[in-house]
Amino acid sequence: MQQRGFTLFESIIVIVITGILAGMVSIFIFSPVQSFFSTSARTELVDASDNALRLMSREMRKALPNSVRVRADGLGIEFVPTVAGARYRTEVSTVGDDPLLFSQADTSFDVFGTPVNVVAGNWAVVYNLGAVVGSNVYAASSSASEQSLSNRRQITGTTATRWTITSLAPYPDIAYTPPYRVYAVETPVSYICNPATGTLMRMSNYGFSASFPAATLGTSTLLASGITACTFTYDANAVAQRSGLVLIRVIMQIATPKGPDTATLVHHVHVDNLP
């Protein structure tokens, strides 16, 4: 009986041809696969950073008028988030009305409307103009002498139409100005970019300071990584304009199979500065 099979030479020929074909195929497959992983890595980084910038935009749109300020080096931005706003009563119309008095250390006043989410521990701020004496939410407000130059008082309680506050001195006269609006605010929030560590952080739960905090304070939350450069820009004349524009520019870099990849994100945020 005759036996059939492959010779060693035939087997070597098949192996060589198969290797050549595999090498040719890999050339066409490797580049698309590499591009896929590079694109996926870049998309993931950009998406995370874009979500962080959108969060910042949403928060800053609720900033107390004229409370946005940028750190001197442009790597940080701070603002005071509002909880609610209302108009305070300025005169007595019927028995029981409680207007906000600017002639004494008034500890309660009526508001029009029913602001929601206002709780004890929030702060009542009237007519904020930024770095203006008597109208600066960042000014100290813990003593009678400080409150005489401060437009901020801590809220101790609320009902449907009345707020009670801790008041050791009258609100400054400069604050008694139409449209007679009062805001309930929380403590400041800041975003800090650190190119050295490649991070964008959110800082919260810290106190009011006359100048931009020089150190990391309160609770810190990582929003994005891979940051190589970051710039916050804000028009210093926004108070006179009654509106402001915040420019946020972030540059990111990520290592991909094709080498380092860079992306730049730019967001514009309009803030209302009508006190």
Side-chain angles (χ1 to χ4, degrees), residues 48-81:
S49 299
D50 185 62
N51 287 338
L53 265 60
R54 292 184 184 277
L55 169 64
M56 295 169 61
S57 299
R58 288 195 299 270
E59 283 201 310
M60 275 189 277
R61 290 192 183 100
K62 296 180 180 180
L64 176 72
N66 304 303
S67 69
V68 177
R69 59 183 182 179
V70 174
R71 206 167 73 178
D73 60 4
L75 295 178
I77 189 167
E78 184 181 35
F79 60 92
V80 177

Side-chain angles (χ1 to χ4, degrees), residues 103-193:
S103 59
Q104 65 185 56
D106 199 352
T107 58
S108 68
F109 57 90
D110 291 340
V111 295
F112 294 99
T114 309
V116 296
N117 300 327
V118 181
V119 297
N122 291 154
W123 299 80
V125 179
V126 294
Y127 206 69
N128 192 64
L129 293 179
V132 177
V133 177
S135 292
N136 184 1
V137 67
Y138 292 107
S141 183
S142 58
S143 66
S145 59
E146 290 174 345
Q147 286 195 359
S148 66
L149 300 174
S150 171
N151 64 338
R152 173 171 54 89
R153 304 288 187 273
Q154 189 158 45
I155 297 173
T156 57
T158 63
T159 64
T161 58
R162 183 166 297 178
W163 295 5
T164 57
I165 58 176
T166 299
S167 186
L168 305 175
Y171 275 110
D173 290 337
I174 188 176
Y176 186 61
T177 306
Y180 307 116
R181 185 179 287 120
V182 58
Y183 290 92
V185 306
E186 297 176 328
T187 52
V189 168
S190 61
Y191 291 95
I192 307 297
C193 180

